[in-house]
Amino acid sequence: MNPLSFVVPFDVPAALAQIRAEGARFVAGGTNLIDLMKERVMLPQRLIDINRLALDSIKEDDHGGLLLGALARNAATAYHPLVLERYPLLSAAILAGASPQIRNMASNGGNLLQRTRCHYFYDVDVACNKREPGSGCPAIGGLSRQHAILGASDSCIATHPSDMCVALRALDAVVHVASQEGERAIAFGDFHRLPGDQPHIDTTLAPDELVTHIALPAAPQFAAHAVYLKLRERASYAFALVSVAAMLDIGEDGSIREARVALGGVAHKPWRVPEAEALLRGAPDPVRFGAFADRLLEGAHGQGGNDFKIVMARRAIVRALAMAVAGTHNNTGHASTVMARGAA
């Protein structure tokens, strides 16, 4: 039996005071943490239920952007009128993930902090550097079909499981956090970490910090040409083998003025190379798309069991860009989800 205390703070200062206790963890929807506790992967000594904090709003900011409360549920976010109108990419990505029941419970902040679904990480009877630093990574040379082809290390080849986070990376979101020392903002590209030699540390969030909201900068130029393409083993409730969040700003002459592209299912964090996106400027062209895909996937390396991901990712990038050129209205929600076998 693992001793466990449970506390329910009613405001942010009280929650921040509680998190400083040894072995304390915040819990909101619990859609990931409770599973990890059941499997004895994580054994917190204190759960801090933050559901009564006033962090569930979705509202405009003063600059035409949107503020997503950390406790707003994924479903509420995906179906919010302002998200559907201004950030259809985010809505499509959320709706491509999990199940309706999970989306109704999962919070925006919790989605950012969910942990890898690597089967070795979940099996406490085998070694795992992410679970027990220094114990080894049996996925290297083992079952690696779901694992990383980019940004991996000799210590870990796990992938980040979120669909929502891939869209947030493309949208240049900013994560706002609070602690007893004050508040700070973290650019989304800096929020998640590559594994390096510390794969047990998933994010740059300090242990005593709380995610309060996610800020989306205004991006009206991308709303008409945004696509989330997810390739997976089955059509429902499966994590991505490869996913692509693509947004294009297309001028009246049909040329691409600006592009943003992020990948999921391929690395320890949503993968984006902003400096490569200039390659997409100009007339939409499969050759141009292919050259960009090659640059985005530069350095990709498989483990044998996931070598197919390199080819799949290249084809998915080219396909997603062609879909984005055609327009958002054809590609939102579940229409952007296809079976992996049909795309490989």
Side-chain angles (χ1 to χ4, degrees):
M1 180 71 68
N2 181 51
L4 179 68
S5 61
F6 187 84
V7 295
V8 185
F10 287 85
D11 57 37
V12 170
L16 295 176
Q18 289 287 344
I19 197 62
R20 299 178 76 92
E22 184 178 354
R25 298 281 301 191
F26 291 128
V27 62
T31 57
N32 186 208
L33 178 59
I34 302 304
D35 284 344
L36 292 167
M37 291 173 64
K38 289 177 180 177
E39 298 295 333
R40 302 188 67 79
V41 175
M42 296 179 65
L43 297 173
Q45 299 172 33
R46 174 177 296 189
L47 286 184
I48 305 166
D49 182 346
I50 57 174
N51 285 296
R52 289 165 178 76
L53 306 186
L55 298 174
D56 61 349
S57 64
I58 298 176
K59 60 186 179 181
E60 294 181 271
D61 65 16
D62 296 331
H63 307 286
L66 208 59
L67 304 178
L68 309 176
L71 291 179
R73 285 350 194 200
N74 285 177
T77 303
Y79 291 116
H80 194 281
L82 291 177
V83 175
L84 288 167
E85 175 188 352
R86 302 180 186 180
Y87 306 95
L89 177 71
L90 179 59
S91 179
I94 293 173
L95 294 175
S99 66
Q101 294 89 342
I102 290 176
R103 293 194 297 267
N104 284 338
M105 286 297 297
S107 66
N108 290 337
N111 192 298
L112 270 57
L113 299 172
Q114 64 182 300
R115 308 205 68 187
T116 184
R117 267 37 178 213
C118 172
H119 32 269
Y120 295 107
F121 174 70
Y122 268 79
D123 186 349
V124 296
D125 292 325
V126 301
C128 173
N129 285 325
K130 180 174 282 294
R131 194 180 62 250
E132 298 180 26
S135 63
C137 178
I140 299 176
L143 298 174
S144 59
R145 181 173 176 81
Q146 294 282 345
H147 289 72
I149 56 172
L150 290 162
S153 72
D154 292 338
S155 297
C156 182
I157 60 171
T159 56
H160 191 267
S162 173
D163 292 291
M164 179 181 178
C165 287
V166 184
L168 291 174
R169 180 68 184 96
L171 286 163
D172 280 335
V174 177
V175 183
H176 290 257
V177 305
S179 71
Q180 288 191 317
E181 280 66 51
E183 300 177 356
R184 66 182 180 121
I186 308 171
F188 205 83
D190 298 327
F191 186 77
H192 297 99
R193 298 179 64 258
L194 293 178
D197 58 1
Q198 294 182 305
H200 58 292
I201 304 175
D202 293 334
T203 72
T204 56
L205 188 73
D208 63 343
E209 288 182 318
L210 171 69
V211 176
T212 57
H213 64 278
I214 303 160
L216 301 180
Q221 70 272 30
F222 294 111
H225 297 276
V227 165
Y228 188 71
L229 176 64
K230 180 177 181 178
L231 308 184
R232 48 186 168 176
E233 297 283 7
R234 59 184 185 273
S236 65
Y237 199 10
F239 297 99
L241 292 169
V242 172
S243 65
V244 186
M247 306 193 312
L248 303 176
D249 174 17
I250 297 181
E252 292 182 2
D253 62 354
S255 64
I256 298 171
R257 296 183 294 203
E258 187 180 355
R260 297 182 191 171
V261 181
L263 302 181
V266 297
H268 204 254
K269 60 186 290 186
W271 190 262
R272 185 178 168 202
V273 183
E275 58 269 23
E277 292 162 0
L279 295 173
L280 291 171
R281 293 175 185 159
D285 178 74
V287 175
R288 186 188 304 276
F289 295 167
F292 167 74
D294 291 338
R295 175 66 181 85
L296 188 56
L297 293 169
E298 196 171 277
H301 172 72
Q303 298 288 330
N306 65 346
D307 290 352
F308 72 93
K309 277 193 177 188
I310 300 173
V311 177
M312 177 181 280
R314 188 183 191 279
R315 294 179 180 177
I317 293 164
V318 173
R319 180 177 178 182
L321 288 168
M323 292 170 69
V325 170
T328 297
H329 64 283
N330 291 324
N331 306 307
T332 53
H334 297 291
S336 64
T337 300
V338 298
M339 294 293 284
R341 291 189 184 89

